[in-house]
Amino acid sequence: MIKTDVLVIGAGPVGLFAVPQLGIIGLNAEVVDNLDKVGGQCIELYPDKPIYDIPAIPECSGKSLTESLLKQIKPFKTNFHLNERVQEISKQESNWKIKTNKNKTFIAPNIIIAGGVGSFEPRKFLVKGAETFENKGIFYSVKDKNFFKNKKVCIFGGGDSALDWAIELSKFAEVTLIHRRNEFRGGEHSAEIVRKLEKEGKIKIKTPFQIQSVEGKDKINSIIIKKENGKTEEIKTNFVLGFFGLIMKLGPIVEWGLNLEKKHIPVNTENFQTNKEGIFAIGDICTYPGKLKLILSGFHEGALAARACFKLARPNEKYRFEFTTTSKNIQDKLGIKKSD
Ligand SMILES: Cc1cc2nc3c(=O)[nH]c(=O)nc-3n(C[C@H](O)[C@H](O)[C@H](O)COP(=O)(O)OP(=O)(O)OC[C@H]3O[C@@H](n4cnc5c(N)ncnc54)[C@H](O)[C@@H]3O)c2cc1C
């Protein structure tokens, strides 16, 4: 059981910025995200695209914004619980008890939901047997590439993830790349490298093929793939990786007894609290008259929600407003050492 002042659900830009806002007023936070990396939509949907409307940053990419936010969080040594979805919340006296799908439990007087458009989940294989092998022989992300060393690996998909992992794993694994179309969707440069590796005999490419079945009892022995004309082929393999993109689901959030308005959580604009005391919603997931789905709005919402969290986390203390420029107290929290 992990005790904290605030549990932040979602490590998108808005959840990330809420952490230092909590930190400078002396509150600690734990952050949970369903994805295997932080950054939310910025990293998952547009890491290399330029953003032009972050205050005082004329241009940055989704990736560089995420990196800067992480740098700002660093002094607070925050724990991130990635690859975990918050599943259930329940009231326990003056605290909230929060459970993830990996059975981790948090106890906190405050929850900040920065869940964006909901949890991103990988699109999965729909064929018989695929579910049985999930996380044993079938994977939708790569946590440790060395796991596949000297193994036979079939990679499905035609986008950047499929191409990039095919290139990377071909350095030390026997890779077959399978896609339902002859053309790849991913970057031209990656597609060219894949074709070159095929010519050099370092990758096998099977197109246009789709999976028909997964064969094996305790572990995968082979897969059957088929063409549109019904022609099938068997490929001996140890592992299967699927990169078919992500679906966004509001997910378990709908079951927490919060008011909902067209898949968004209504909040008051004084402190971004929901209809439940101690549960706040900020960023793309919240709604109120005039809401703008922009990162800068989410930053403001996080700053106000953080101050409201103080009341429940430190009921016997009075919150004092201070500027970062002049507060010794805040600068100490940030680990800033002044020579004069
Ligand atoms: C192509 C594109 C371009 C954009 N350009 C701009 C721009 O130029 N300027 C701008 O201001 N905005 C832009 N946006 C919008 C901006 O990306 C969003 O406003 C911003 O990402 C919202 O941040 P967030 O932290 O609220 O949510 P998100 O970024 O969506 O992050 C939410 C996170 O919460 C996690 N999560 C959800 N539910 C759970 C759960 N139950 N358990 C665990 N984790 C959960 C998700 O996995 C996700 O990582 C753009 C969006 C897109 C798609």
Side-chain angles (χ1 to χ4, degrees), residues 129-138 214 216-220:
E131 224 177 313
T132 329
F133 289 112
E134 194 171 324
N135 295 325
K136 289 183 239 157
I138 295 184
V214 187
K217 222 171 165 205
D218 302 322
K219 53 185 179 63
I220 297 177

Side-chain angles (χ1 to χ4, degrees), residues 9-16 32-35 37-46 49-54 81 84-87 113-121 248-253 256 282-285 291-298:
I9 303 175
V14 175
L16 289 179
V32 183
D33 201 297
N34 197 40
L35 288 174
K37 45 188 157 337
V38 305
Q41 292 174 52
C42 296
I43 282 293
E44 212 44 62
L45 303 180
Y46 58 102
K49 280 207 169 73
I51 312 176
Y52 301 104
D53 58 354
I54 302 299
H81 307 266
E84 288 199 49
R85 188 176 57 231
V86 173
Q87 204 66 22
I113 304 174
V117 278
S119 55
F120 292 91
E121 314 237 340
M248 293 161 204
K249 283 194 196 163
L250 202 48
I253 293 174
W256 298 344
I282 58 175
D284 277 13
I285 201 154
K291 164 72 185 171
L292 274 181
K293 278 195 182 182
L294 283 178
I295 295 166
L296 71 90
S297 320

Side-chain angles (χ1 to χ4, degrees), residues 114-128:
V117 278
S119 55
F120 292 91
E121 314 237 340
R123 271 179 225 282
K124 299 187 177 178
F125 292 104
L126 295 172
V127 295
K128 220 175 114 207

Side-chain angles (χ1 to χ4, degrees), residues 123-127 130 138-140 156 211 240-242 244:
R123 271 179 225 282
K124 299 187 177 178
F125 292 104
L126 295 172
V127 295
I138 295 184
F139 300 93
Y140 298 101
F156 281 82
I211 195 159
V240 178
L241 296 173
F244 305 119

